[in-house]
Amino acid sequence: MLDAQWRYTDQAPDEPLIQIPCVLGACYAMSKRYWLYLRGLAGLHTYGCDETYLSLKTWLEGGICLLMKNIKVGHIFRKKAPFDMCTRDLIYNKLLIAETVLPVEHKKIVFREMDRSNPEATGEAMQMLCGNRQMVAELKNYYRQIFTWNVDAFVQVNQSMKT
């Protein structure tokens, strides 16, 4: 859960603009005003899950994610990331997303999945999350105020976009 997947087939090849469930690949754009309104990547540690977090918050706020097919962007692909990916931080990011934007039933699934995949790193990530409980509570409260959709509506839209 919370792992966005690349879609390799174009369901509407003649359309220059289509809705997508999640932006990927760090080639996304939004206005600075909207970024600040959504609180950007507040709370995340290092890299990992940023596109998922931004996309979920956009949809839940009532916005949409669009793919602009006629835009070309250069990207340098590396064989190795110039930064270390820490499993604990990636798990922390998923727990933070679950805690701040998902309802309890979905949050429990994420927490169980993370604990099943790596109990030690999940325990460390949980401690970090507890250490940030005030910031987490502030984010949760803020998102409750601005979100107009629930996760079930997002899941329905996401399912309708699958091949």
Side-chain angles (χ1 to χ4, degrees):
M1 188 169 216
L2 299 179
D3 291 318
Q5 302 291 316
W6 281 100
R7 181 186 298 165
Y8 291 99
T9 57
D10 188 346
Q11 295 174 315
D14 297 328
E15 298 295 324
L17 189 70
I18 60 168
Q19 285 188 11
I20 56 174
C22 184
V23 297
L24 281 176
C27 292
Y28 51 84
M30 68 175 58
S31 74
K32 181 179 178 181
R33 184 177 53 81
Y34 193 61
W35 171 272
L36 294 173
Y37 175 68
L38 289 179
R39 304 274 166 100
L41 302 177
L44 295 184
H45 284 203
T46 67
Y47 294 93
C49 299
D50 49 324
E51 292 107 336
T52 303
Y53 200 29
L54 288 172
S55 298
L56 258 173
K57 291 191 298 183
T58 298
W59 280 102
L60 295 176
E61 188 275 332
I64 58 174
C65 297
L66 297 170
L67 172 65
M68 301 169 66
K69 296 181 189 179
N70 294 328
I71 302 291
K72 295 191 191 252
V73 178
H75 195 299
I76 298 171
F77 291 94
R78 299 176 172 115
K79 293 185 190 292
K80 184 178 181 311
F83 48 84
D84 290 330
M85 289 297 292
C86 176
T87 301
R88 180 204 61 216
D89 288 338
L90 182 59
I91 290 173
Y92 171 87
N93 286 351
K94 288 182 179 186
L95 298 179
L96 175 84
I97 293 168
E99 186 64 41
T100 57
V101 304
L102 296 181
V104 173
E105 61 273 12
H106 293 282
K107 179 175 83 169
K108 286 180 180 179
I109 293 168
V110 173
F111 277 60
R112 274 194 306 265
E113 189 176 289
M114 294 302 98
D115 192 46
R116 205 171 308 139
S117 71
N118 191 326
E120 184 178 339
T122 300
E124 293 173 13
M126 286 290 296
Q127 288 178 339
M128 293 165 52
L129 197 64
C130 288
N132 292 327
R133 80 174 56 92
Q134 182 178 345
M135 179 262 310
V136 170
E138 289 170 3
L139 288 172
K140 279 174 75 165
N141 184 50
Y142 180 72
Y143 295 137
R144 267 195 295 270
Q145 294 172 43
I146 69 166
F147 287 169
T148 61
W149 275 34
N150 65 36
V151 169
D152 295 327
F154 169 74
V155 169
Q156 284 181 335
V157 168
N158 192 10
Q159 292 298 325
S160 73
M161 293 183 207
K162 286 190 174 184
T163 54

